[in-house]
Amino acid sequence: MSNVPGYVRPGGKSYVSDEGIIYCTDGKLRWVYELDQRKCPTVLLDLLWKYVAIALVVGALFLRLPPQATLGTAVVAELTLVGAAALAALVVFGVRLLEHGRFICLVYTLDEQVISCQQIRGKTNKEYVTHAFAVWVGGQSQPAVRTCKLRQTPLACVRSVVAAPARNRLRLRGAKGLRTVFVAPRQLPVVLDCLTRYCPEMSRKRAGK
């Protein structure tokens, strides 16, 4: 954390770098990524996976077919359930777009042990969320935004990080839970350097060179 003012400590003030990285007073790094759900429908894909998985389980446990039914009939019935689940996921996704808009804000938190991601509730924008965490005094108050859908992964299980600058993302190989990290182009080198230093496996490889 070079070039970070000395007042970034408990009871002090957070610091927002030119890249938009928030060095918080709780000793953690945070950044906000504004995700366009139409161009990168990760929420839709999560809903599809969830609803289709439920349909498969329900079909396997509760679908009752007549004894004379053939294998083809069973497959068609199962596919009908999957199709209905996919349609339900699309409807739920459409409702969420109407309620929250096409853009959602994701807040990433990184320290030496864990990286996590939370979605901001309701309609908001990147500048407002960044300001909310910049003025937040960690551990002594709550940010002026509401979060949900916590996903995280211990850095100890990350074997390597694959950068995809064209897609504004980092892939955490070996991670359990949070596997994809979205990051703006200017923030990518900073976040990648921190992950390289904090992940034990990558740190050992770096030291061995």
Side-chain angles (χ1 to χ4, degrees), residues 95-114:
V95 172
R96 291 189 179 183
L97 281 180
L98 292 175
E99 290 181 347
H100 306 299
R102 61 184 288 186
F103 295 98
I104 58 174
C105 283
L106 304 175
V107 177
Y108 289 91
T109 302
L110 174 65
D111 59 25
E112 296 183 1
Q113 286 81 37
V114 177

Side-chain angles (χ1 to χ4, degrees), residues 23-137:
Y23 295 85
C24 295
T25 57
D26 59 358
K28 301 180 181 182
L29 274 66
R30 290 181 172 87
W31 65 95
V32 182
Y33 187 85
E34 197 170 54
L35 183 69
D36 187 340
Q37 298 185 86
R38 294 182 182 178
K39 294 182 178 179
C40 187
T42 56
V43 175
L44 174 59
L45 294 177
D46 288 343
L47 285 171
L48 284 172
W49 170 252
K50 177 181 178 180
Y51 279 59
V52 168
I54 293 175
L56 290 173
V57 172
V58 170
L61 296 179
F62 302 106
L63 186 62
R64 294 291 182 265
L65 296 174
Q68 66 273 18
T70 63
L71 177 60
T73 302
V75 171
V76 169
E78 192 70 47
L79 289 177
T80 300
L81 281 176
V82 170
L87 181 59
L90 288 172
V91 171
V92 171
F93 179 68
V95 172
R96 291 189 179 183
L97 281 180
L98 292 175
E99 290 181 347
H100 306 299
R102 61 184 288 186
F103 295 98
I104 58 174
C105 283
L106 304 175
V107 177
Y108 289 91
T109 302
L110 174 65
D111 59 25
E112 296 183 1
Q113 286 81 37
V114 177
I115 183 170
S116 64
C117 174
Q118 285 184 289
Q119 180 181 328
I120 300 299
R121 290 181 181 272
K123 292 183 179 180
T124 186
N125 59 71
K126 181 179 179 179
E127 289 73 21
Y128 177 79
V129 177
T130 299
H131 175 74
F133 279 94
V135 301
W136 169 55
V137 180

Side-chain angles (χ1 to χ4, degrees), residues 160-172 181 183 188-189 192:
S160 63
V161 180
V162 180
R167 297 186 176 183
N168 296 338
R169 67 180 63 175
L170 298 169
R171 295 286 189 182
L172 307 181
V181 175
V183 59
L188 192 147
L192 182 59

